[in-house]
Amino acid sequence: MTQPYPTGAKKALLIAIDGPVAVGKSTVGRMVASRLGYRFVDTGTMYRALTWKAIEQKIPFDDEAALSRMSANTTFQLTTTGKNGQNNILMDGKDVTQQVRSAPVEKSVSLVSKVSEVRESLVRHQRRIAIEGRLVMAGRDIGTVVLPQADLKIFLAASPLERARRRYQELLGQSPKVNYDEVLADLQSRDDMDIHRQASPLKPATDAYILDTEGLSAEQVANKICALALGKPPSETC
Ligand code: DC
């Protein structure tokens, strides 16, 4: 059965993109934002930055009270670099764009992001960022919690094998030592934690458009979202 597509009378000004690990939210989100002339915010970088701070300050991941205090006392600034629309992140005034992609952060970010007080303080930041509109925001809970009023909610889907293949290709560019089975296992363990946590688990909003990206290029996915944002069927050119 074909999924009915959301039709808006107006151009969507707030676009939420959610989905599991390595489904292409940031790549596609950046492309959509650039086509529409909007800002792009990848909320995963904020959870990653807090994880980096916890590692630096040697805060144990099971000390929820300390993690909550730390998140309440952290400032963020997200800027978009001109070239590829990537988010640079300043935390407490310091650029941590590189650090948030490091292996220790990758391994532990789901432990930090399951703490409900951590989520509450980041959601407040994210809602403040969204006030101006003309924004594509990507994450796990954007359509369900952060921006339930979003004009367009997309939930990206692809099988774990397809997502692991994409992430493996991406990592291979950085290190020839990367192992596909490890990439798949990491991805499945993070998915599992994100889906089964108590606070804002990963799930599509009831009014989200589920976009199966299996076998589609990032360009093709971005085109579909862009068309939907303009109130057209996803099959039309944006
Ligand atoms: O999208 P990402 O892989 O950079 O996200 C890193 C982690 O942050 C992810 O495993 C779950 C968490 N996250 C979240 O809980 N809510 C969001 N809105 C964004 C990310």
Side-chain angles (χ1 to χ4, degrees):
M1 199 179 69
T2 317
Q3 195 183 178
Y5 67 88
T7 46
K10 296 179 292 182
K11 184 172 167 181
L13 294 179
L14 272 185
I15 302 174
I17 302 183
D18 291 298
V21 176
V23 76
K25 298 179 295 292
S26 325
T27 308
V28 161
R30 276 199 296 272
M31 288 177 175
V32 173
S34 137
R35 287 196 196 195
L36 296 171
Y38 288 6
R39 287 172 302 147
F40 172 67
V41 169
D42 172 8
T43 57
T45 59
M46 299 167 96
Y47 289 94
R48 285 169 178 269
L50 280 182
T51 307
W52 175 252
K53 190 167 174 178
I55 293 171
E56 280 214 304
Q57 297 193 350
K58 301 194 168 40
I59 298 177
F61 294 123
D62 58 358
D63 189 345
E64 299 202 355
L67 290 173
S68 308
R69 276 195 303 278
M70 179 195 75
S71 66
N73 292 311
T74 303
T75 62
F76 296 98
Q77 258 178 293
L78 269 79
T79 55
T80 303
T81 54
K83 199 169 144 255
N84 53 10
Q86 205 166 1
N87 280 153
N88 277 10
I89 181 159
L90 297 187
M91 180 173 59
D92 301 329
K94 190 177 154 221
D95 191 327
V96 291
T97 310
Q98 299 298 324
Q99 291 87 326
V100 301
R101 298 284 147 201
S102 65
V105 168
E106 190 88 28
K107 245 193 162 40
S108 311
V109 62
S110 288
L111 296 173
V112 174
S113 54
K114 75 180 171 69
V115 180
S116 50
E117 287 83 356
V118 167
R119 303 200 66 81
E120 280 161 22
S121 63
L122 287 190
V123 167
R124 275 196 295 278
H125 275 291
Q126 292 156 8
R127 287 187 178 149
R128 238 176 276 133
I129 294 172
I131 286 172
E132 285 173 44
R134 296 174 61 83
L135 174 78
V136 178
M137 187 173 267
R140 301 290 189 290
D141 58 345
I142 311 304
T144 50
V145 176
V146 182
L147 305 175
Q149 80 282 24
D151 305 302
L152 175 65
K153 299 179 187 177
I154 303 289
F155 192 89
L156 295 180
S159 68
L161 292 182
E162 166 84 6
R163 291 184 284 120
R165 191 189 56 75
R166 292 179 193 165
R167 180 52 58 92
Y168 174 73
Q169 289 300 333
E170 187 187 317
L171 294 174
L172 208 54
Q174 296 160 24
S175 157
K177 286 201 191 124
V178 54
N179 174 302
Y180 173 83
D181 291 334
E182 275 175 26
V183 172
L184 177 63
D186 278 0
L187 178 146
Q188 286 176 314
S189 120
R190 273 177 63 202
D191 271 358
D192 192 58
M193 282 195 264
D194 293 344
I195 291 167
H196 295 109
R197 70 182 174 218
Q198 275 208 315
S200 322
L202 169 69
K203 62 171 182 206
T206 47
D207 51 351
Y209 182 85
I210 316 272
L211 210 168
D212 183 1
T213 69
E214 200 92 14
L216 298 181
S217 70
E219 284 288 349
Q220 287 171 314
V221 177
N223 186 78
K224 285 180 190 293
I225 300 175
C226 184
L228 288 169
L230 300 177
K232 299 186 200 174
S235 51
E236 274 190 28
T237 306
C238 169

